[in-house]
């Protein structure tokens, strides 16, 4: 009997040891990927010839235009994207304006060329002159890049300037969230900003934006006091609650459809460190994780006083991953609490009282840390230099629909194994989205205000892999998984129209999810400030408002 007990104990110890070895191997692989310097471009064969437009820009802005023949600077610019496929879209030149006036000059030249094209090719055919890059973190090929056209790189607009009284921060549109948090950590301040340190301020904010602080203050876009923006006319205007207020509201989720934002002024507030980290678990815990997720998110509508919803808690963000190289599945759950308790070593009460506290796990990284450290950890899980794809949908916090979403992820693994996609990491992410968050801060056109108070769940796939030959298979598999979830949700009336723009795949249409009234509002603002459609047709990338589609 004693021998049997010792044997069972040894077997259990062995399983735990192997599990920890696999999970730590995964983290080591991720660290190696992050450390690798990607070599995305095949110089010099892929280089487009200079165009008349690029030469005109070079003449007007000689110190701010990079041509392909300047191979070192050009290659550095191309390799600054997060997703590898974006690096493979080669422009005729890169314009890096040093100040807003230089950007105005570039836009004026682009508008003149756009007008000429409209005369020659017709109003509806003058397409594809330029793209705009803020942080370059979108996985959609062409979202912030253009083949043979002009790339406007906002990377030099990266200043982070807190106001003297500490109530607001001016943030350059080319900054990344790591730039923001590093400055504000030193001043014990924070803004409602991104959760991944490598994501650009511009793209995330214009797409709506989720934050660790969203349960307390609302979405990122709803906490922007003003925007400085260059319009299609080449003029610089401010959009705020009192000046160009329609444009101010449209920029809160309207993406790049109105002009080029150069600076965001965001609300700031006192904040020291936060409690955050990941729980790492084997795939065998999936059912329990889904149940814990549902129960915690459902606290928002619970009548039980012992399980009150706590606005200082962000998450849970539940990630289920299949790692092709190791042929294993794993679970990582991110938990955050944005207000420190007196005893920093203890779990915050809301998380301690949740089911997550008792789940068996391999290890936990949860601890008190700076906001920069928390966002760096999020970034480390999916480093740059890989081929990437996103896709998303929104469902109600319904146990059966959560299980169906996980099943769509899980069922795809067999085909992924057969195809043997090199170095693929196949991940589905579940995270709460409470309509209440959209009601906090300033009004936005996202359409969530029309919803009931019932908790929603954003389901997103984030997939990365190594080789171009697998692009079609990965994108098709991801789309099929999303469509499976949507079909189940539609059949059980547990879906929702909203699609978070920043997680959408290129085939998705997020503005339809805003609702017709909000979509038409965005179109009206576009016509008012960009009557000839420079940012609808001349600027590629992003999700366009499709005026014709809506009017039909």
């Amino acid at each position: 009997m004693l021998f049997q007990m010792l044997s069972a104990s040894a077997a259990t110890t062995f399983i735990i040891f192997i599990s920890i070895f696999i999970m730590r191997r995964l983290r080591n692989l991720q660290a190696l990927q992050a450390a690798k310097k990607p070599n995305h471009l095949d110089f010099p064969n892929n280089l487009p010839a200079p165009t008349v437009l690029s030469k005109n820009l070079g003449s007007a802005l000689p110190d701010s235009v990079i041509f392909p023949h300047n191979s070192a600077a050009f290659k550095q610019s191309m390799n600054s994207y997060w997703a590898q496929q974006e690096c493979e879209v080669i422009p005729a030149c890169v314009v890096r304006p040093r100040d807003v006036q230089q950007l105005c000059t570039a836009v004026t030249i682009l508008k003149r060329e756009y007008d000429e094209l409209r005369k020659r090719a017709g109003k509806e055919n003058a397409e594809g002159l330029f793209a705009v890059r803020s942080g370059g973190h979108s996985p959609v090929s062409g979202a912030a890049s253009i083949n043979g056209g002009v790339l406007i790189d906002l990377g030099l607009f990266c200043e982070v300037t807190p106001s003297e009284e500490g109530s607001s921060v001016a943030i350059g549109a080319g900054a990344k969230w790591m730039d923001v948090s590093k400055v504000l950590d030193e001043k014990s301040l924070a803004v409602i900003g991104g959760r991944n340190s490598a994501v650009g301020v511009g793209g995330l904010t214009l797409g709506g934006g989720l934050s660790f602080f969203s349960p307390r203050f609302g979405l990122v876009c709803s906490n922007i006091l003003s925007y400085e923006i260059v319009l299609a006319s080449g003029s610089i205007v401010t959009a705020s609650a009192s000046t160009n207020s329609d444009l101010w509201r449209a920029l809160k989720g309207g993406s790049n459809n109105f002009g080029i934002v150069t600076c965001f002024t965001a609300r700031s507030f006192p904040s020291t460190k936060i409690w955050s980290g990941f729980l790492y678990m084997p795939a065998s815990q999936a059912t329990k994780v889904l149940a814990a997720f549902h129960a915690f998110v459902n606290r928002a509508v619970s009548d039980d006083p012992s399980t009150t919803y706590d606005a200082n808690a962000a998450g849970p963000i539940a990630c289920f991953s299949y790692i092709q190289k190791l042929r294993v599945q794993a679970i990582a759950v991110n938990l955050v609490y944005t207000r420190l308790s007196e005893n920093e070593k203890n779990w915050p009460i809301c998380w301690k009282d949740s089911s997550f506290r008792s789940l068996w796990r391999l290890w936990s990284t949860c601890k008190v840390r700076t906001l920069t450290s928390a966002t760096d950890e999020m970034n480390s899980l999916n480093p740059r230099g890989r081929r990437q794809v996103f896709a998303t949908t929104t469902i109600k916090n319904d146990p059966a629909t959560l299980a169906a979403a996980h099943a769509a992820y899980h069922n795809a693994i067999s085909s992924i194994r057969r195809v043997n996609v090199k170095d693929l990491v196949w991940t589905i992410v579940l995270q709460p989205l409470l309509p209440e968050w959209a009601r906090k801060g300033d009004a936005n056109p996202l359409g969530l205000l029309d919803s009931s108070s019932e908790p929603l769940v954003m389901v997103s796939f984030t997939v990365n892999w190594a080789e171009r030959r697998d692009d079609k298979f990965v994108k098709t598999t991801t789309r099929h998984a999303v469509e499976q979830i949507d079909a189940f949700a539609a059949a059980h009336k547990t879906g929702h129209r909203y699609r978070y723009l920043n997680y959408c795949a290129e085939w998705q249409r997020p503005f339809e999810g805003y609702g017709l009234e909000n979509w038409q509002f965005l179109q009206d603002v576009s016509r008012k400030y960009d009557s000839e459609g420079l940012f609808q047709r001349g600027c590629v990338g992003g999700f366009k408002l499709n005026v014709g589609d809506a009017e039909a």
Side-chain angles (χ1 to χ4, degrees):
M1 184 70 175
L2 178 61
F3 176 77
Q4 290 176 334
M5 290 176 63
L6 289 172
S7 298
S9 176
T12 301
T13 302
F14 177 74
I15 291 170
I16 292 173
F17 175 80
I18 291 298
S19 299
I20 292 175
F21 172 79
I22 289 172
M23 295 295 283
R24 291 197 182 280
R25 174 83 184 277
L26 169 61
R27 286 178 66 85
N28 289 337
L29 283 172
Q30 291 166 336
L32 284 172
Q33 289 171 356
K36 283 182 181 178
K37 185 161 183 74
N39 183 22
H40 303 298
L41 292 179
D42 183 17
F43 277 73
N45 298 327
N46 290 0
L47 304 182
T51 63
V52 173
L53 176 57
S54 65
K55 290 178 180 178
N56 289 341
L57 287 163
S59 297
L61 302 166
D63 297 328
S64 299
V65 178
I66 306 171
F67 289 96
H69 61 257
N70 185 352
S71 59
F74 191 80
K75 187 172 184 178
Q76 182 180 15
S77 178
M78 292 298 95
N79 282 346
S80 64
Y81 289 101
W82 174 63
Q84 182 173 340
Q85 63 266 32
E86 276 284 74
C87 303
E88 297 166 356
V89 182
I90 312 300
C93 70
V94 178
V95 179
R96 298 198 81 202
R98 298 170 185 268
D99 54 42
V100 179
Q101 290 301 328
Q102 286 198 350
L103 178 59
C104 291
T105 298
V107 170
T108 299
I109 293 171
L110 290 167
K111 178 61 165 57
R112 187 187 315 141
E113 178 71 11
Y114 175 74
D115 291 342
E116 288 297 320
L117 280 176
R118 293 180 81 223
K119 291 177 183 177
R120 295 197 303 267
K123 291 183 179 181
E124 301 302 320
N125 297 318
E127 298 184 355
L129 279 179
F130 68 101
V132 181
R133 179 174 69 193
S134 170
H137 202 271
S138 172
V140 178
S141 182
S145 59
I146 182 168
N147 189 31
V150 175
L151 171 63
I152 297 180
D153 178 5
L154 300 178
L156 298 180
F157 292 78
C158 57
E159 303 86 356
V160 179
T161 309
S163 64
E164 290 186 8
E165 72 280 6
S167 63
S168 65
V169 181
I171 307 170
K176 296 183 178 180
W177 288 108
M178 67 178 75
D179 303 318
V180 179
S181 62
K182 285 177 181 177
V183 171
L184 298 186
D185 279 347
E186 294 182 358
K187 297 181 177 294
S188 297
L189 293 172
V191 294
I192 298 85
R195 301 168 298 182
N196 183 320
S197 61
V199 169
V201 169
L204 180 129
T205 306
L206 293 173
L210 288 168
S211 171
F212 291 140
F213 299 103
S214 287
R216 286 167 61 184
F217 301 110
L219 304 179
V220 177
C221 66
S222 296
N223 288 277
I224 302 299
L225 299 171
S226 67
Y227 305 78
E228 180 183 77
I229 181 171
V230 176
L231 302 178
S233 62
S235 60
I236 308 165
V237 302
T238 296
S240 68
S242 58
T243 305
N244 300 311
S245 59
D246 53 351
L247 179 59
W248 176 65
R249 180 169 176 259
L251 289 167
K252 297 178 182 296
S255 193
N256 66 349
N257 287 291
F258 313 101
I260 301 176
V261 175
T262 60
C263 185
F264 302 84
T265 300
R267 289 188 181 92
S268 57
F269 54 92
S271 179
T272 54
K273 295 181 178 180
I274 67 173
W275 182 91
S276 78
F278 281 86
L279 310 179
Y280 289 93
M281 290 166 274
S284 59
Q285 295 288 87
T287 301
K288 292 182 179 179
V289 170
L290 290 172
F293 179 95
H294 170 264
F296 191 88
V297 175
N298 223 41
R299 289 184 176 191
V301 291
S302 173
D303 294 327
D304 185 351
S306 66
T307 57
T308 304
Y309 172 72
D310 190 334
N312 296 297
I317 303 177
C319 312
F320 304 84
S321 297
Y322 168 69
I323 303 97
Q324 176 79 352
K325 180 170 278 189
L326 303 178
R327 293 196 170 246
V328 298
Q329 296 181 59
I331 302 171
V333 179
N334 181 247
L335 308 178
V336 175
Y337 197 77
T338 59
R339 180 164 291 170
L340 290 184
S341 60
E342 292 182 2
N343 190 336
E344 296 184 1
K345 293 183 179 180
N346 292 341
W347 276 45
I349 292 175
C350 74
W351 290 120
K352 185 178 180 180
D353 292 346
S354 75
S355 300
F356 288 104
R357 183 70 176 88
S358 59
L359 288 178
W360 189 88
R361 55 187 179 272
L362 299 169
W363 78 89
S364 165
T365 66
C366 293
K367 64 180 182 179
V368 172
R369 61 177 88 206
T370 64
L371 185 58
T372 299
S373 172
T375 58
D376 280 345
E377 182 180 34
M378 192 75 77
N379 176 52
S380 70
L381 297 182
N382 196 356
R384 63 185 288 266
R386 310 259 298 152
R387 308 188 82 77
Q388 305 275 354
V389 70
F390 287 172
T392 189
T393 189
T394 305
I395 60 176
K396 295 178 181 179
N397 186 39
D398 168 67
T401 313
L402 291 173
H406 182 269
Y409 146 82
H410 186 267
N411 293 341
I413 293 174
S414 58
S415 64
I416 290 170
R417 283 176 171 161
R418 284 196 304 271
V419 174
N420 194 26
V421 179
K422 184 177 179 182
D423 294 345
L424 178 136
V425 180
W426 167 255
T427 300
I428 187 172
V429 181
L430 308 177
Q431 54 186 309
L433 176 64
L434 272 57
E436 173 189 336
W437 301 349
R439 299 184 179 103
K440 296 181 178 182
D442 302 314
N444 61 63
L446 302 180
L448 291 167
L449 296 176
D450 303 334
S451 303
S452 68
S453 297
E454 185 176 5
L456 302 176
V457 176
M458 281 180 13
V459 180
S460 59
F461 284 86
T462 173
V463 189
N464 65 78
W465 67 103
E467 295 183 349
R468 186 187 303 181
R469 65 182 174 86
D470 296 313
D471 288 5
K472 183 177 180 180
F473 171 79
V474 174
K475 290 181 179 181
T476 301
T477 302
T478 304
R479 180 169 184 169
H480 179 63
V482 171
E483 289 173 343
Q484 276 186 280
I485 298 167
D486 284 340
F488 184 95
H492 295 80
K493 298 182 179 179
T494 53
H496 192 275
R497 70 186 186 190
Y498 179 72
R499 301 292 181 269
Y500 179 46
L501 185 148
N502 290 331
Y503 291 167
C504 280
E506 54 200 10
W507 52 270
Q508 298 187 288
R509 298 170 68 115
F511 293 123
E512 292 184 1
Y514 289 14
L516 184 60
E517 183 178 348
N518 288 311
W519 190 8
Q520 289 178 339
F521 164 74
L522 294 174
Q523 293 169 336
D524 290 343
V525 175
S526 174
R527 293 188 195 98
K528 178 178 176 180
Y529 292 93
D530 181 21
S531 60
E532 294 173 329
L534 176 66
F535 289 95
Q536 290 299 296
R537 291 180 286 275
C539 177
V540 303
F543 294 94
K544 300 306 178 184
L545 295 172
N546 300 322
V547 174
D549 290 352
E551 289 180 343

